[in-house]
Amino acid sequence: MKTKITLLALMLFLGFNVVNAQQNQECMTKLSIFSEYAKAKNYNAAYEPWMFVRQTCPKLHLAIYSQGEDILEYKIENSTGADKMNYINDLIKLWDERQVNYGSKTKKGEYAAKSCQLMYDNREMLNKTDEELYNCFDEAFKADRENFKNPKSLYTYFSLMVDLFDAGKKTDAELFNKYDDVVEKVQEEISNYSEDLNKLAAKEEAGQSLTSKEKSYKKYYESYLNAYDQISTSIDKKLGDRANCENLIPLYTKDFEANKTNAVWLQRAAGKMSEKECTDDPLFFKLVNAYHALSPSANSAYYLGILKDKEGKSNEALKFYEQAVSLETDNFKKAKLNEKIGDKLRKKGSYGSARTYYGKALQLNPSNGRPHLKIADMYNRSANNCGEDNFSKRAVFWLAEAEALKAGRVDPTLKSAAAQSAASYKAKAPDKTLIFNKGNQGETIKIGCWIQRSVTVPSI
């Protein structure tokens, strides 16, 4: 009897292995079939063999999920009504399955945000409320902030918060805290992509050619920097006047006592009041001094500089600004501080000093073209005061044009604005008739006053 049972068990085991081997072989065959169809973008033909492999051998290959995403996105785009809704829900399910079967290759912050975004983009069809969608994004952001970096999803996340605030479902504090969360994340990503782009810019500046792979990376970095630049503007527009001094001051006044030992809260409150130019209020003084006493940092030193500026003590203010730069260890943030100092000096008419700080900003972050445009603007404003005669005064515009062109070369977000500025400056520079009458083609003209630069008269 024992022998019969053993033989039966052995036969069942062998039979199971044979069936399993056959299934695996069929999965491998259909994997190859759907993969080739997907590569050729024949997604309708790919669908059936792909579904077989997905359901039968879900751990067989990552292509089940990477190419399956392409297949379902095609189906969604090319269907309507109930079919479209089914494909949308199936894509969300596919991302969940990927998390289960390929968790180490599925970043939660990335794929959860994609799922939330898909639901948001089809919210009417799926009957999703703003609250449900916000909670979806919020959960993804909190679970994996590092990989929640898609520009569109970051904007949608914040936009939903504003909509909920306007509907009376979120408080002022929740709105401003979420604004800070999202803006800080956007700035981190801009810093990361700028750092990568700066390495390639340094190679080009040294006269070295980029490899084809490096050129592809450059386009990729520039594309994301453009996207983050656009959503930064959109986020600020969406926030609008909701974060004005009339709203900020009573809110931070009310919460100050409870948060006067919370360095993060103090930094964000002081930063928001500085950003919105609420620095005349005594609360700003309280926030800055409490923050600096609790956690001396580049930010607190910068805010103290603002206070000294308000008191009319420019030299003391500059010392605090310099201290802020020395305390900052991150090159991207250090560059921003130098640019801010340059901005303050430019507004005061201290153009030579402003250019020095803009130069420091460019050394630290050469892919930021804004300092070039600001230097060009200072040249433009100084043309009438920095030349000996009409020709040399107008020659200053060649310097302005050159700076504007640099901005467009190094910064993908400024190409259009830089080109317009350069064309404007070029139109003000000496024309061919003036150069011909002067007869100084190819000569070098020294520009005086604070500019102290030379420019070569172009040939005609």
Side-chain angles (χ1 to χ4, degrees):
M1 187 69 177
K2 275 188 177 181
T3 305
K4 288 181 178 179
I5 292 172
T6 302
L7 286 170
L8 179 61
L10 181 61
M11 288 173 66
L12 288 171
F13 175 75
L14 290 172
F16 173 79
N17 279 332
V18 168
V19 170
N20 199 40
Q22 288 174 342
Q23 275 189 343
N24 282 340
Q25 184 56 51
E26 190 171 4
C27 280
M28 289 297 295
T29 301
K30 293 196 181 245
L31 171 70
S32 177
I33 292 170
F34 89 67
S35 183
E36 288 304 313
Y37 277 134
K39 287 176 186 176
K41 300 188 186 306
N42 188 351
Y43 297 120
N44 285 326
Y47 184 79
E48 187 177 338
W50 165 71
M51 279 295 285
F52 176 87
V53 179
R54 174 190 176 188
Q55 293 168 349
T56 310
C57 310
K59 295 180 184 288
L60 183 63
H61 199 281
L62 186 60
I64 297 169
Y65 305 98
S66 58
Q67 291 183 318
E69 187 175 327
D70 294 334
I71 292 168
L72 285 176
E73 284 179 346
Y74 173 84
K75 289 287 190 179
I76 291 168
E77 190 176 339
N78 291 276
S79 59
T80 56
D83 286 341
K84 182 170 186 172
M85 187 165 68
N86 289 336
Y87 288 130
I88 290 170
N89 286 324
D90 201 28
L91 180 52
I92 293 168
K93 183 182 175 185
L94 180 72
W95 286 327
D96 290 338
E97 291 171 0
R98 174 177 173 141
Q99 185 70 52
V100 171
N101 294 304
Y102 282 90
S104 63
K105 294 183 178 179
T106 308
K107 297 170 183 174
K108 187 169 180 61
E110 177 184 352
Y111 282 88
K114 285 169 80 167
S115 180
C116 299
Q117 188 67 53
L118 181 63
M119 285 189 275
Y120 176 84
D121 292 341
N122 298 278
R123 57 194 178 280
E124 292 180 5
M125 175 178 285
L126 299 176
N127 198 27
K128 294 290 182 181
T129 66
D130 285 352
E131 231 165 348
E132 289 174 319
L133 292 165
Y134 175 80
N135 290 337
C136 181
F137 282 107
D138 196 44
E139 183 182 337
F141 188 80
K142 289 174 177 174
D144 186 13
R145 180 184 182 280
E146 181 183 355
N147 293 301
F148 190 119
K149 56 179 70 173
N150 182 275
K152 182 180 179 182
S153 293
L154 282 165
Y155 174 74
T156 304
Y157 180 30
F158 179 69
S159 178
L160 284 165
M161 165 58 85
V162 175
D163 293 341
L164 289 172
F165 171 80
D166 289 346
K169 296 179 180 179
K170 294 292 180 182
T171 65
D172 290 29
E174 288 175 315
L175 173 65
F176 301 149
N177 284 336
K178 192 50 59 186
Y179 173 84
D180 288 332
D181 286 341
V182 174
V183 168
E184 283 172 11
K185 179 58 182 173
V186 170
Q187 288 303 310
E188 283 173 22
E189 294 306 318
I190 290 174
S191 174
N192 292 336
Y193 283 110
S194 295
E195 186 178 346
D196 291 332
L197 188 59
N198 286 339
K199 292 173 186 175
L200 299 179
K203 184 174 179 179
E204 287 184 310
E205 194 68 25
Q208 301 175 42
S209 298
L210 300 181
T211 64
S212 57
K213 188 175 183 179
E214 286 172 330
K215 287 177 181 176
S216 296
Y217 276 128
K218 184 182 179 185
K219 286 183 180 178
Y220 174 75
Y221 301 148
E222 289 179 342
S223 171
Y224 266 91
L225 283 170
N226 264 320
Y228 284 118
D229 181 67
Q230 288 170 8
I231 69 156
S232 292
T233 302
S234 298
I235 286 169
D236 284 334
K237 282 183 179 177
K238 184 74 176 180
L239 181 64
D241 290 335
R242 296 170 185 85
N244 55 28
C245 298
E246 288 75 18
N247 291 332
L248 292 174
I249 293 169
L251 172 68
Y252 294 146
T253 300
K254 176 174 65 73
D255 293 344
F256 178 77
E257 283 301 317
N259 290 281
K260 63 185 180 183
T261 58
N262 182 337
V264 173
W265 184 89
L266 290 167
Q267 186 271 322
R268 285 184 165 189
K272 182 67 77 275
M273 288 190 70
S274 171
E275 178 190 328
K276 297 299 178 181
E277 298 185 354
C278 309
T279 52
D280 287 331
D281 193 271
L283 176 65
F284 183 69
F285 179 85
K286 284 175 66 177
L287 289 167
V288 169
N289 281 284
Y291 178 39
H292 194 68
L294 186 65
S295 178
S297 65
N299 284 327
S300 65
Y302 179 76
Y303 300 143
L304 284 170
I306 292 176
L307 289 176
K308 290 300 178 184
D309 256 338
K310 291 289 179 185
E311 295 171 12
K313 299 175 181 176
S314 299
N315 290 336
E316 289 183 47
L318 190 56
K319 287 179 183 177
F320 276 115
Y321 295 145
E322 287 282 8
Q323 184 184 0
V325 173
S326 67
L327 287 170
E328 184 56 71
T329 55
D330 181 274
N331 278 347
F332 182 78
K333 293 178 180 176
K334 196 187 285 275
K336 287 186 73 174
L337 281 170
N338 276 299
E339 186 180 353
K340 284 181 179 180
I341 298 169
D343 290 344
K344 290 185 176 297
L345 291 166
R346 179 167 61 96
K347 287 177 183 176
K348 292 177 181 177
S350 301
Y351 289 168
S353 298
R355 184 176 62 188
T356 299
Y357 283 97
Y358 288 144
K360 291 177 181 178
L362 287 166
Q363 285 178 340
L364 293 163
N365 185 18
S367 61
N368 173 20
R370 289 190 309 270
H372 285 302
L373 284 182
K374 291 167 183 175
I375 293 170
D377 178 67
M378 292 191 299
Y379 289 157
N380 172 51
R381 293 173 184 272
S382 303
N384 202 45
N385 302 318
C386 292
E388 297 176 358
D389 55 21
N390 181 51
F391 191 92
S392 59
K393 287 178 180 180
R394 291 179 63 177
V396 173
F397 294 114
W398 282 321
L399 290 174
E401 179 195 4
E403 284 292 333
L405 290 172
K406 282 181 193 174
R409 279 200 303 273
V410 303
D411 193 332
T413 69
L414 294 175
K415 287 189 187 299
S416 177
Q420 289 177 7
S421 294
S424 171
Y425 298 140
K426 185 177 182 180
K428 298 178 185 178
D431 57 17
K432 291 181 179 180
T433 302
L434 201 56
I435 295 171
F436 178 80
N437 291 337
K438 190 75 173 177
N440 60 349
Q441 297 178 54
E443 289 184 12
T444 298
I445 298 175
K446 172 96 173 176
I447 307 296
C449 69
W450 72 269
I451 295 178
Q452 294 299 309
R453 294 287 189 267
S454 297
V455 62
T456 301
V457 179
S459 299
I460 58 173

